[in-house]
Coordinates of all heavy atoms in Angstrom, one line a residue:
T504 N 178.2 -3.6 -4.4 CA 177.9 -2.2 -4.8 C 179.0 -1.5 -5.4 O 180.2 -1.5 -4.9 CB 177.4 -1.4 -3.5 OG1 178.4 -1.4 -2.6 CG2 176.2 -1.9 -2.9
S505 N 178.9 -0.9 -6.5 CA 180.0 -0.3 -7.4 C 179.5 0.7 -8.4 O 178.4 0.3 -9.0 CB 180.9 -1.4 -7.9 OG 181.7 -1.0 -8.9
P506 N 180.3 1.7 -8.6 CA 179.8 2.6 -9.7 C 179.7 1.9 -11.1 O 179.0 2.4 -12.0 CB 180.8 3.8 -9.6 CG 181.8 3.5 -8.7 CD 181.4 2.2 -8.0
G530 N 181.1 -2.1 -1.7 CA 182.3 -1.8 -2.4 C 183.3 -0.9 -1.6 O 182.9 -0.3 -0.6
H531 N 184.4 -0.6 -2.2 CA 185.5 0.0 -1.4 C 186.2 0.9 -2.5 O 186.4 0.5 -3.6 CB 186.5 -1.1 -1.0 CG 187.4 -0.4 0.1 ND1 188.8 -0.2 -0.1 CD2 187.1 0.1 1.3 CE1 189.3 0.2 0.9 NE2 188.4 0.5 1.7
I548 N 175.4 -3.6 -8.4 CA 174.6 -2.5 -8.5 C 175.3 -1.3 -8.3 O 176.1 -1.0 -7.4 CB 173.5 -2.7 -7.4 CG1 172.5 -3.8 -7.8 CG2 172.5 -1.5 -7.3 CD1 171.5 -4.2 -6.7
S549 N 174.9 -0.3 -9.2 CA 175.3 1.2 -8.9 C 174.1 2.0 -8.7 O 173.0 1.7 -9.2 CB 175.9 1.8 -10.3 OG 175.9 3.2 -10.2
I550 N 174.2 2.9 -7.6 CA 173.0 3.7 -7.4 C 173.0 5.0 -8.1 O 172.2 5.9 -7.9 CB 172.8 4.0 -5.8 CG1 174.0 4.7 -5.3 CG2 172.6 2.6 -5.0 CD1 173.8 5.4 -4.0
G551 N 174.0 5.3 -9.0 CA 173.9 6.4 -9.8 C 175.3 6.7 -10.4 O 176.3 6.2 -9.9
D552 N 175.3 7.6 -11.4 CA 176.6 7.9 -12.1 C 177.4 8.9 -11.3 O 177.6 10.0 -11.9 CB 176.2 8.3 -13.6 CG 175.8 7.2 -14.3 OD1 176.2 6.0 -14.0 OD2 175.2 7.3 -15.4
Y553 N 178.0 8.5 -10.3 CA 178.8 9.4 -9.3 C 179.5 8.4 -8.5 O 179.2 7.4 -8.3 CB 178.0 10.4 -8.6 CG 176.8 9.9 -8.0 CD1 176.8 9.1 -6.8 CD2 175.5 10.0 -8.6 CE1 175.7 8.5 -6.2 CE2 174.4 9.5 -8.0 CZ 174.4 8.7 -6.9 OH 173.4 8.1 -6.4
V554 N 180.7 8.9 -7.9 CA 181.5 8.0 -7.2 C 181.4 8.4 -5.7 O 181.7 9.5 -5.3 CB 182.9 8.0 -7.7 CG1 183.9 7.0 -6.8 CG2 182.9 7.6 -9.2
L555 N 181.0 7.4 -4.9 CA 181.0 7.5 -3.4 C 182.3 7.0 -2.8 O 183.0 6.3 -3.5 CB 179.9 6.8 -2.8 CG 178.5 7.0 -3.4 CD1 177.5 5.9 -2.9 CD2 178.0 8.4 -2.8
T556 N 182.7 7.5 -1.6 CA 183.9 6.9 -0.9 C 183.9 5.4 -0.7 O 184.9 4.7 -0.7 CB 184.2 7.7 0.3 OG1 183.1 7.7 1.1 CG2 184.7 9.1 -0.1
G557 N 182.7 4.9 -0.5 CA 182.6 3.5 -0.3 C 181.2 3.0 -0.7 O 180.3 3.8 -1.0
G558 N 180.9 1.7 -0.6 CA 179.6 1.2 -0.8 C 178.6 1.3 0.1 O 177.5 0.8 -0.1
A561 N 175.5 3.3 -0.5 CA 174.8 2.6 -1.6 C 174.0 1.4 -0.9 O 172.8 1.2 -1.2 CB 175.8 2.1 -2.7
Ligands
LIG1613 N1 180.5 2.9 -4.6 C1 180.9 4.1 -5.0 N2 180.2 4.7 -5.8 C2 179.0 3.9 -5.9 C3 177.8 4.2 -6.6 N3 177.5 5.2 -7.4 N4 177.0 3.1 -6.5 C4 177.1 2.0 -5.8 N5 178.3 1.9 -5.1 C5 179.2 2.8 -5.1

Side-chain angles (χ1 to χ4, degrees):
T504 57
S505 163
H531 194 246
I548 292 179
S549 161
I550 62 158
D552 286 341
Y553 41 80
V554 181
L555 304 165
T556 49

